[in-house]
Amino acid sequence: MKKMILDLDTGVDDTLAISYALGSPEVELIGITGTYGNVLLEQGMRNDLAITDLLGHSEVKVYPGLPHAEKADSFSVLPVSEFIHGKNGIGDIEIPDSSRRPESQSAVDFIIDAVKTYGDDLVYVPTGPMTNIAAALRKAPEIKDRIGKIVLMGGALTVCGNVSAWTEANISQDPDAANELFRSGAPVTMVGLDVTLQTLLTYKETKRWRDLGTKASTFLADMTDFYIKAYETTSPHLGGCGLHDPLAVAVAIDPTLVTTLPINMQVDVDGPTRGRTIGDNTRLNDSHKSMQVAVGVDVQRFLDEFMTRISRLAEQAG
Ligand code: RIB
Ligand code: CA
């Protein structure tokens, strides 16, 4: 069975990503590495522990990542993130704190150890800034040739960004780290706004969770309704909320859900387009393409898998 690490800034859609992973028999979630973004690092890890408890998976360990970008002194949550994910990151829905605590091993060391242990069988899915994986690649560059694959949520190649016309939120938090990853030669699939804004959830689906009537399903319904409501203000043209992070997990499990463009990518780190994800001109003629960018998605098949896997998990969790 493939082993999966989720690197999360937990967040509503990060919570749905955890749910998708735990609802998927093809993978074992061997750990969550914490990052910052939708919430501060500490709040995200608190959420990870509480959510995995609620979903009946207290065996999942949480490892503390870096609290901000290497080139920054600190990190503050943007007001728009609070508006979309709530002050607590999970739609301001209260769930009990876990009695567990994050591990003492750092996220960076856990990632490096996991690559050395599982190699090709390991898939790493970052759905926040790329700060932790960039630090791991700096500390142990050899892991780029040993890791199975990295499937990230972030970036936008064929559509505009969601923070500015050219920048997507996860990349914007730490463009330097994302650029290090993109240019590292590691096998990366980018699942960006090109496809995640095509996979939308509505109140119709969350009602199915509410009707299940379990604690877990009611939490998921209430939390996701908060997120859908925020999208009604921020992106009224979409008619639902973007399933960014769970789509990355789904693609990590079943790459046939998307069509991809093989391309060597970079992130602009200087000048006015800082944070833009774009092809790297200097590697245009390299015959080896280390990255794949998702540009098409089988929307209905993904939504069916999403509802089946998460509903089953939420029912079993009680
Ligand atoms: O741009 C969408 C991404 O930003 C998602 O990962 C969301 O959770 C936020 O981190
Ligand atoms: Ca996220």
Side-chain angles (χ1 to χ4, degrees):
M1 191 189 297
K2 295 280 179 197
K3 312 290 179 186
M4 180 177 282
I5 297 175
L6 295 177
D7 190 271
L8 308 174
D9 59 331
T10 313
V12 172
D13 59 327
D14 304 79
T15 303
L16 298 174
I18 297 175
S19 308
Y20 196 106
L22 291 175
S24 297
E26 302 91 334
V27 290
E28 181 191 354
L29 182 59
I30 60 163
I32 294 174
T33 49
T35 188
Y36 60 92
N38 295 322
V39 287
L40 297 177
L41 170 68
E42 287 298 330
Q43 178 69 38
M45 293 193 298
R46 178 269 165 200
N47 291 347
D48 296 330
L49 292 164
I51 292 159
T52 46
D53 279 358
L54 185 67
L55 295 175
H57 282 275
S58 304
E59 78 282 3
V60 179
K61 294 181 172 158
V62 176
Y63 297 83
L66 297 159
H68 54 75
E70 206 211 4
K71 290 195 175 165
D73 296 329
S74 61
F75 171 76
S76 307
V77 177
L78 292 173
V80 67
S81 303
E82 284 190 357
F83 181 76
I84 293 173
H85 297 271
K87 277 196 183 350
N88 71 355
I90 48 176
D92 288 340
I93 309 302
E94 299 292 337
I95 57 172
D97 276 327
S98 177
S99 57
R100 298 179 294 139
R101 293 289 306 146
E103 303 300 303
S104 53
Q105 186 181 28
S106 73
V108 168
D109 287 340
F110 172 66
I111 293 166
I112 293 169
D113 282 357
V115 175
K116 292 183 176 165
T117 305
Y118 299 112
D120 218 31
D121 284 331
L122 182 69
V123 52
Y124 171 78
V125 185
T127 69
M130 307 300 141
T131 308
N132 290 331
I133 185 66
L137 285 164
R138 237 174 278 135
K139 188 167 181 182
E142 68 279 8
I143 64 172
K144 81 172 172 60
D145 298 317
R146 295 178 62 179
I147 194 164
K149 60 183 174 183
I150 298 171
V151 182
L152 67 89
M153 192 285 131
L157 182 61
T158 61
V159 296
C160 295
N162 56 2
V163 167
S164 70
W166 56 88
T167 313
E168 181 278 332
N170 289 338
I171 304 297
S172 78
Q173 311 282 13
D174 192 348
D176 305 281
N179 190 41
E180 279 180 72
L181 174 64
F182 283 18
R183 298 174 69 109
S184 69
V188 173
T189 300
M190 178 178 121
V191 177
L193 301 178
D194 312 84
V195 283
T196 65
L197 286 178
Q198 297 182 49
T199 52
L200 304 165
L201 207 71
T202 68
Y203 296 121
K204 194 172 136 219
E205 286 84 27
T206 57
K207 181 174 181 312
R208 281 172 55 190
W209 288 340
R210 188 163 290 103
D211 289 348
L212 285 176
T214 67
K215 271 190 194 152
S217 68
T218 305
F219 161 66
L220 291 174
D222 291 346
M223 175 195 71
T224 308
D225 280 357
F226 181 100
Y227 185 62
I228 296 172
K229 193 153 182 37
Y231 265 73
E232 286 171 356
T233 302
T234 59
S235 312
H237 59 287
L238 288 176
C241 65
L243 295 175
H244 309 287
D245 298 348
L247 181 59
V249 172
V251 171
I253 294 167
D254 180 0
T256 69
L257 285 168
V258 289
T259 50
T260 59
L261 176 72
I263 178 171
N264 290 320
M265 296 283 289
Q266 66 166 47
V267 180
D268 291 354
V269 291
D270 296 314
T273 58
R274 180 169 160 80
R276 178 175 68 153
T277 47
I278 189 77
D280 176 0
N281 285 6
T282 68
R283 293 183 296 146
L284 189 61
N285 296 318
D286 280 7
S287 56
H288 175 68
K289 314 292 183 198
S290 66
M291 281 188 65
Q292 304 279 331
V293 175
V295 290
V297 56
D298 188 336
V299 174
Q300 197 51 57
R301 191 153 69 85
F302 166 66
L303 288 178
D304 289 346
E305 293 293 342
F306 176 89
M307 287 308 294
T308 302
R309 288 165 191 249
I310 296 183
S311 305
R312 184 176 57 211
L313 176 80
E315 200 166 11
Q316 280 166 1

